[in-house]
């Protein structure tokens, strides 16, 4: 039985050893390990423990994907849990399903890259926002296919994550320019398309992503540039925000901020919500989807 | 002769810098015009044409110190204003004296312009309004001061405005006025717009089409405001009206896009962050100037009247 400290330490270790994996994948590996070590006697108890474990992990990393990934993991493994009388057989089945789930989602980033890179034409100028490992994988694949393209990436305050993205792209020999967050409108007339990642995909087909995404989407719509989102399916979450206020505070700020700060209105939110009307296409491991198709896929996932 | 020019340049630049130091609250264009007036008084030229050339040269020197659009337009307007009646007198010294008087008159007029703008604009701020503004603008500050003095209650969101974080300076000044102010990231403009009632920004230059040139980030703020249907007000003095007609971001000359030091030292400008952008007139609701409250389409008429 893992207690909170062990859980958090295992999660952090996963992130340290492989800085390239999505935090949700690390969370799911942790939950699988927790499942293996769990000594509970009932299925219901097991479910409660897993929910508790997910809550612990969101206390470390407050991103939407950890929360949605955990919930999807739980649903996936408990799909057939009621067929066996014997608890240990049930648990073994759940572990197997857990391994299967983990294997599936580890492949998802490659699937997304395979679908998306064909939309990058030779000579394209791409605009992207902040640091996204999925977008990086897509651009790696396009570069491997010998496409010539150049990238503008926003600096993305307050953590200047965009510079990390620019560094990674320079290693791929892709011409990259870092622009100020304020320069998005200025630079949009020069670009051909916008590709961004997502921290979460909501029921309406909109996305939750690093702050600055919403105004990038608004400006792209006005300039008539395609706005593509690349996201793995474990980021699909059961939320339906209608505006920026509707996104729960627990996602808007970093986990440390939520724990230590009294007055959240003084803090800069780190994510914003982009409505589906501004998104052209979403590239996921379930296929290339329009925003309206997302809710169908979401229902299939969560049922 | 070249040595003489170099000396004059140093004196000119030093006078300009001194003006800015003594009164950090004045517009850099006003400081430039004071400097040009002083240059006019000390000029020892023998012909009117020579005088015009000298003044143009002086304006060019000053734009080498401060590359903002207003210094350039302010200088040109000063020159036009003082030379309107220069051809009537035969005697050069009488002409010069007249030009100096007109120069003083011009300076006096434009020193009043910020108050005129504030007087026109503050009535558009209703009680309980939430205002969004961008970076640091002394005109906007004056407008908000006037509104606060009229006992209006309002709160302000100001963007941090990288790369120089000028927004924080604005926030400080507003806190001194006891106005509740929140600093937001440049990236948070779209996020915060659903909460605000109106957007008020300054301008570094107003172009012929009625659009404006202002700190980078203004264009996307205008785009987002249009989408959210929030009024987008611009406050600018009339000496900022400039003879440019950009159709997009590329059309704005490089000499305005970067700071004067950057233009002198850097080889490859495409590596630098531009510090201004162009906002087309379709995104602007109203412009508040000392010539009155104008729609963007009315700006070209006023510009013609100014420059004729």
């Amino acid at each position: 039985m893992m207690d909170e400290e062990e859980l958090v330490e295992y999660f952090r270790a996963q992130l340290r050893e492989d800085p390239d994996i999505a935090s949700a994948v690390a969370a799911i590996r942790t939950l699988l390990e927790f499942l293996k070590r769990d000594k509970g006697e009932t299925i219901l108890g097991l479910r409660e423990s897993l929910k508790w474990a997910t809550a612990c992990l969101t206390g470390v990393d407050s991103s939407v994907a950890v929360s949605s990934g955990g919930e999807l993991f739980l649903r996936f493994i408990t799909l057939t849990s009621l067929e066996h009388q014997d608890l240990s057989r049930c648990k073994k089945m759940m572990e197997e399903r857990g391994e299967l789930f983990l294997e599936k989602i580890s492949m998802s980033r490659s699937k997304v890259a395979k679908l998306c890179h064909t939309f990058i034409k030779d000579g394209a100028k791409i605009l992207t926002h902040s640091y996204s490992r999925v977008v990086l994988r897509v651009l790696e694949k396009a570069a491997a296919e010998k496409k010539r393209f150049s990238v503008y990436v926003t600096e993305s305050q307050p953590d200047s994550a965009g510079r990390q993205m620019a560094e990674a792209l320079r290693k791929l020999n892709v011409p990259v320019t870092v622009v100020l967050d304020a320069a998005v409108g200025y630079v949009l007339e020069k670009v051909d398309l916008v590709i961004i990642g997502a921290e979460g995909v909501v029921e309406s087909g909109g996305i939750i992503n690093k702050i600055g995404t919403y105004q990038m989407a608004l400006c792209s719509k006005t300039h008539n540039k395609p706005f593509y989102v690349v996201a793995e399916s474990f980021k699909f979450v059961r939320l339906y925000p209608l505006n920026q206020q509707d996104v729960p505070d627990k996602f808007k700020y970093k986990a440390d901020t939520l724990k230590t700060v009294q007055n959240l209105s003084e803090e800069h939110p780190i994510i914003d919500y982009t409505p589906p009307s501004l998104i052209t296409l979403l590239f996921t491991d379930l296929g290339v989807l329009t925003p309206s198709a997302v809710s169908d896929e979401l229902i299939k996932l969560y049922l």
Side-chain angles (χ1 to χ4, degrees), chain A residues 58 61-65 67 157-159 199 207-212 239 241-259 264-274:
Chain A
T58 48
D61 181 345
S62 65
S63 59
V64 182
S67 168
Q157 297 289 355
D159 54 0
E199 294 198 22
I207 60 163
I208 290 176
N209 197 27
K210 187 81 186 289
I211 187 114
L239 273 180
L242 296 171
N243 56 27
Q244 306 297 335
Q245 307 289 74
D246 283 350
V247 180
D249 273 351
K250 63 180 180 181
F251 296 134
K252 275 188 189 169
Y253 307 96
K254 282 193 180 303
D256 315 319
T257 317
L258 287 165
K259 276 183 257 184
L264 280 175
S265 65
E266 297 281 313
E267 293 298 313
H268 294 303
I270 56 166
I271 54 146
D272 59 21
Y273 163 65
T274 304

Coordinates of all heavy atoms in Angstrom, one line a residue, chain A residues 58 61-65 67 157-159 199 207-212 239 241-259 264-274:
Chain A
T58 N -2.9 15.3 -8.4 CA -3.3 16.7 -8.9 C -2.8 17.7 -7.9 O -2.6 18.9 -8.3 CB -4.8 16.8 -9.1 OG1 -5.5 16.3 -7.9 CG2 -5.3 16.1 -10.3
D61 N 0.7 18.3 -9.5 CA 0.7 18.9 -10.8 C -0.7 19.2 -11.1 O -1.5 18.2 -11.4 CB 1.3 17.9 -11.8 CG 1.3 18.5 -13.2 OD1 0.6 19.5 -13.5 OD2 2.1 17.9 -14.1
S62 N -1.1 20.5 -11.1 CA -2.5 20.8 -11.2 C -3.0 20.8 -12.7 O -4.1 21.3 -12.9 CB -2.8 22.2 -10.6 OG -2.1 23.1 -11.3
S63 N -2.3 20.3 -13.6 CA -2.8 20.4 -15.0 C -4.0 19.5 -15.2 O -4.2 18.5 -14.6 CB -1.7 20.1 -16.0 OG -1.2 18.8 -15.8
V64 N -4.8 19.9 -16.2 CA -6.0 19.3 -16.5 C -5.8 17.8 -16.9 O -6.6 16.9 -16.5 CB -6.7 20.0 -17.7 CG1 -8.1 19.3 -18.0 CG2 -6.9 21.4 -17.4
A65 N -4.7 17.6 -17.6 CA -4.5 16.2 -18.2 C -4.3 15.2 -17.1 O -4.7 14.0 -17.2 CB -3.3 16.3 -19.1
S67 N -5.6 15.2 -14.2 CA -7.0 14.9 -13.7 C -7.8 14.0 -14.6 O -8.4 13.0 -14.2 CB -7.7 16.2 -13.4 OG -9.0 16.1 -13.2
Q157 N 5.2 34.3 -21.2 CA 5.4 34.6 -19.8 C 4.3 33.9 -19.0 O 3.2 33.6 -19.6 CB 5.2 36.1 -19.6 CG 6.3 36.9 -20.4 CD 7.7 36.7 -19.8 OE1 7.8 36.1 -18.7 NE2 8.7 37.3 -20.4
P158 N 4.4 33.7 -17.7 CA 5.5 34.2 -16.9 C 6.7 33.2 -16.8 O 7.7 33.6 -16.1 CB 4.8 34.3 -15.5 CG 3.8 33.3 -15.5 CD 3.3 33.1 -16.9
D159 N 6.7 32.1 -17.4 CA 7.8 31.2 -17.2 C 8.8 31.1 -18.4 O 9.7 30.3 -18.4 CB 7.3 29.8 -16.9 CG 6.3 29.3 -17.9 OD1 6.1 30.0 -18.9 OD2 5.8 28.1 -17.8
E199 N -3.6 21.5 -23.0 CA -3.5 20.8 -21.7 C -4.7 20.0 -21.5 O -4.7 18.9 -20.8 CB -3.3 21.8 -20.6 CG -2.0 22.5 -20.8 CD -1.5 23.2 -19.5 OE1 -2.0 22.8 -18.4 OE2 -0.7 24.2 -19.6
I207 N -10.6 24.1 -26.1 CA -9.4 23.6 -25.4 C -9.0 24.5 -24.2 O -9.3 25.7 -24.2 CB -8.2 23.4 -26.3 CG1 -7.8 24.8 -26.9 CG2 -8.4 22.4 -27.3 CD1 -6.4 24.8 -27.5
I208 N -8.3 23.9 -23.3 CA -7.6 24.6 -22.2 C -6.1 24.5 -22.4 O -5.6 23.4 -22.6 CB -8.0 24.0 -20.9 CG1 -9.5 24.2 -20.6 CG2 -7.2 24.5 -19.7 CD1 -10.0 23.6 -19.3
N209 N -5.5 25.7 -22.5 CA -4.1 25.7 -22.7 C -3.4 26.9 -22.1 O -4.1 27.7 -21.5 CB -3.8 25.7 -24.3 CG -2.4 25.2 -24.6 OD1 -1.8 24.5 -23.9 ND2 -1.9 25.7 -25.7
K210 N -2.1 26.9 -22.2 CA -1.3 28.0 -21.6 C -1.9 29.4 -21.9 O -2.4 29.6 -23.1 CB 0.1 28.0 -22.1 CG 1.1 28.9 -21.5 CD 1.6 28.4 -20.2 CE 2.4 29.4 -19.4 NZ 3.7 29.6 -20.1
I211 N -1.9 30.3 -21.0 CA -2.5 31.6 -21.2 C -1.9 32.3 -22.4 O -0.7 32.3 -22.6 CB -2.3 32.5 -19.9 CG1 -3.1 33.8 -20.0 CG2 -0.9 32.7 -19.6 CD1 -4.2 33.9 -19.1
G212 N -2.7 32.9 -23.2 CA -2.2 33.5 -24.4 C -2.8 32.8 -25.6 O -2.8 33.3 -26.8
L239 N -15.7 18.7 -18.9 CA -15.9 20.1 -18.4 C -16.7 20.7 -19.6 O -16.4 20.4 -20.7 CB -14.6 20.8 -18.2 CG -13.9 20.8 -16.9 CD1 -12.7 21.6 -17.0 CD2 -14.8 21.3 -15.8
P241 N -17.0 24.6 -20.1 CA -17.0 26.0 -19.7 C -17.6 26.9 -20.8 O -17.5 26.5 -22.0 CB -15.5 26.4 -19.6 CG -14.7 25.2 -20.2 CD -15.7 24.1 -20.6
L242 N -18.3 27.9 -20.5 CA -18.9 28.8 -21.5 C -18.0 30.0 -21.7 O -18.1 30.7 -22.7 CB -20.3 29.2 -21.1 CG -21.3 28.0 -21.0 CD1 -22.6 28.5 -20.4 CD2 -21.5 27.5 -22.4
N243 N -17.2 30.3 -20.7 CA -16.3 31.5 -20.8 C -15.1 31.3 -19.9 O -15.0 30.2 -19.3 CB -17.0 32.8 -20.4 CG -17.7 32.7 -19.0 OD1 -17.2 32.0 -18.2 ND2 -18.7 33.5 -18.8
Q244 N -14.3 32.2 -19.7 CA -13.0 32.1 -19.0 C -13.3 31.8 -17.5 O -12.6 31.1 -16.8 CB -12.1 33.3 -19.0 CG -11.8 33.8 -20.4 CD -11.0 32.7 -21.2 OE1 -10.3 31.9 -20.6 NE2 -11.2 32.8 -22.5
Q245 N -14.4 32.4 -17.0 CA -14.7 32.3 -15.5 C -15.1 30.8 -15.2 O -14.9 30.4 -14.0 CB -15.9 33.2 -15.2 CG -15.8 34.6 -15.6 CD -14.8 35.3 -14.7 OE1 -13.6 35.1 -14.9 NE2 -15.2 36.1 -13.8
D246 N -15.7 30.1 -16.1 CA -16.2 28.8 -15.8 C -15.1 27.7 -15.6 O -15.4 26.7 -15.1 CB -17.1 28.3 -17.0 CG -18.4 28.9 -17.0 OD1 -18.8 29.6 -16.0 OD2 -19.2 28.8 -18.0
V247 N -13.9 28.0 -16.0 CA -12.8 27.0 -15.8 C -12.5 27.0 -14.3 O -12.3 28.0 -13.7 CB -11.6 27.4 -16.6 CG1 -10.5 26.3 -16.3 CG2 -11.9 27.5 -18.0
P248 N -12.6 25.8 -13.6 CA -12.3 25.8 -12.2 C -11.0 26.3 -11.8 O -10.0 26.1 -12.5 CB -12.4 24.3 -11.9 CG -13.1 23.6 -13.0 CD -12.8 24.5 -14.2
D249 N -10.9 27.0 -10.6 CA -9.7 27.6 -10.2 C -8.6 26.5 -10.0 O -7.4 26.9 -10.1 CB -9.9 28.3 -8.8 CG -10.4 29.7 -9.0 OD1 -10.3 30.2 -10.1 OD2 -10.7 30.3 -8.0
K250 N -9.0 25.3 -9.7 CA -7.9 24.3 -9.4 C -7.1 24.0 -10.6 O -6.0 23.5 -10.5 CB -8.5 23.0 -8.9 CG -9.4 22.3 -9.9 CD -10.0 21.0 -9.3 CE -10.9 20.4 -10.4 NZ -11.5 19.1 -9.9
F251 N -7.6 24.4 -11.8 CA -6.7 24.2 -13.0 C -6.0 25.5 -13.4 O -5.0 25.4 -14.1 CB -7.6 23.8 -14.2 CG -8.3 22.4 -14.0 CD1 -9.6 22.2 -14.3 CD2 -7.5 21.3 -13.6 CE1 -10.2 21.0 -14.2 CE2 -8.1 20.1 -13.4 CZ -9.5 19.9 -13.7
K252 N -6.5 26.6 -12.9 CA -6.0 27.9 -13.4 C -4.7 28.3 -12.9 O -4.0 29.1 -13.4 CB -7.0 29.0 -13.1 CG -8.1 29.2 -14.0 CD -8.9 30.4 -13.7 CE -10.1 30.5 -14.5 NZ -11.0 31.5 -14.0
Y253 N -4.3 27.7 -11.7 CA -3.1 28.1 -11.1 C -2.2 26.9 -10.8 O -2.7 25.8 -10.7 CB -3.4 28.8 -9.8 CG -4.3 30.0 -9.9 CD1 -5.7 29.8 -9.7 CD2 -3.8 31.2 -10.4 CE1 -6.5 30.9 -9.9 CE2 -4.7 32.3 -10.6 CZ -6.1 32.1 -10.3 OH -6.9 33.1 -10.5
K254 N -0.9 27.1 -10.6 CA 0.0 26.0 -10.3 C -0.4 25.4 -9.0 O -0.9 26.1 -8.1 CB 1.4 26.4 -10.3 CG 2.0 26.6 -11.7 CD 3.5 26.8 -11.6 CE 4.2 27.0 -12.9 NZ 4.0 25.9 -13.8
A255 N -0.1 24.1 -8.8 CA -0.4 23.4 -7.5 C 0.1 24.1 -6.3 O -0.5 24.3 -5.3 CB 0.1 22.0 -7.6
D256 N 1.4 24.6 -6.4 CA 2.0 25.3 -5.3 C 1.3 26.6 -4.9 O 1.0 26.9 -3.7 CB 3.5 25.7 -5.6 CG 4.2 24.6 -6.2 OD1 4.0 23.4 -5.8 OD2 5.0 24.8 -7.2
T257 N 0.9 27.3 -6.0 CA 0.1 28.6 -5.8 C -1.2 28.3 -5.0 O -1.5 29.0 -4.1 CB -0.2 29.2 -7.1 OG1 1.0 29.1 -7.9 CG2 -0.6 30.7 -6.9
L258 N -1.9 27.2 -5.4 CA -3.2 26.9 -4.8 C -3.0 26.6 -3.3 O -3.9 27.0 -2.5 CB -3.8 25.7 -5.5 CG -4.4 26.0 -6.9 CD1 -4.6 24.7 -7.6 CD2 -5.6 26.8 -6.8
K259 N -1.9 26.0 -3.0 CA -1.7 25.6 -1.6 C -1.3 26.8 -0.7 O -1.6 26.9 0.4 CB -0.7 24.5 -1.5 CG -1.3 23.1 -1.7 CD -0.2 22.0 -1.6 CE 0.2 21.5 -2.9 NZ 1.2 20.4 -2.8
L264 N -6.5 34.5 -4.5 CA -6.1 34.0 -5.9 C -6.3 35.1 -6.9 O -5.7 35.1 -8.0 CB -6.9 32.8 -6.3 CG -6.4 31.5 -5.7 CD1 -7.4 30.4 -6.1 CD2 -5.0 31.2 -6.2
S265 N -7.1 36.2 -6.6 CA -7.3 37.2 -7.7 C -6.1 38.0 -7.9 O -6.0 38.7 -8.9 CB -8.5 38.1 -7.3 OG -8.1 38.8 -6.1
E266 N -5.1 37.9 -7.0 CA -3.8 38.6 -7.2 C -2.9 37.9 -8.1 O -1.9 38.4 -8.6 CB -3.1 38.8 -5.9 CG -3.8 39.7 -4.9 CD -3.7 41.1 -5.2 OE1 -2.6 41.6 -5.4 OE2 -4.8 41.8 -5.2
E267 N -3.1 36.6 -8.3 CA -2.2 35.8 -9.1 C -2.6 35.8 -10.6 O -3.7 36.0 -11.0 CB -2.3 34.3 -8.6 CG -1.8 34.0 -7.2 CD -0.4 34.4 -7.1 OE1 0.4 34.0 -8.0 OE2 0.0 35.1 -6.1
H268 N -1.5 35.6 -11.4 CA -1.7 35.5 -12.8 C -2.2 34.1 -13.1 O -1.6 33.1 -12.7 CB -0.4 35.6 -13.6 CG 0.2 37.0 -13.5 ND1 -0.5 38.1 -13.8 CD2 1.4 37.4 -13.1 CE1 0.3 39.2 -13.7 NE2 1.5 38.8 -13.2
P269 N -3.4 33.9 -13.8 CA -3.8 32.5 -14.2 C -2.8 32.0 -15.2 O -2.3 32.8 -16.0 CB -5.2 32.7 -14.8 CG -5.2 34.1 -15.2 CD -4.3 34.9 -14.3
I270 N -2.6 30.7 -15.2 CA -1.6 30.2 -16.2 C -2.3 29.5 -17.4 O -1.6 29.1 -18.3 CB -0.6 29.2 -15.5 CG1 -1.3 28.1 -14.8 CG2 0.3 30.0 -14.6 CD1 -0.3 26.9 -14.5
I271 N -3.6 29.4 -17.4 CA -4.3 28.8 -18.5 C -5.4 29.7 -18.9 O -5.9 30.5 -18.1 CB -4.8 27.4 -18.2 CG1 -5.7 27.4 -17.0 CG2 -3.7 26.4 -18.1 CD1 -6.8 26.4 -17.1
D272 N -5.9 29.5 -20.2 CA -7.2 30.1 -20.5 C -7.9 29.1 -21.4 O -7.4 28.1 -21.9 CB -7.0 31.4 -21.2 CG -6.1 31.3 -22.5 OD1 -6.0 30.2 -23.1 OD2 -5.6 32.4 -22.9
Y273 N -9.2 29.4 -21.7 CA -10.1 28.6 -22.4 C -10.3 29.1 -23.8 O -10.6 30.3 -24.0 CB -11.4 28.5 -21.7 CG -12.6 27.9 -22.5 CD1 -12.5 26.6 -23.0 CD2 -13.7 28.7 -22.8 CE1 -13.6 26.1 -23.8 CE2 -14.7 28.3 -23.6 CZ -14.6 27.0 -24.1 OH -15.7 26.5 -24.9
T274 N -10.2 28.3 -24.8 CA -10.4 28.7 -26.2 C -11.6 28.0 -26.7 O -11.7 26.8 -26.8 CB -9.2 28.3 -27.1 OG1 -8.0 28.8 -26.5 CG2 -9.4 28.8 -28.5

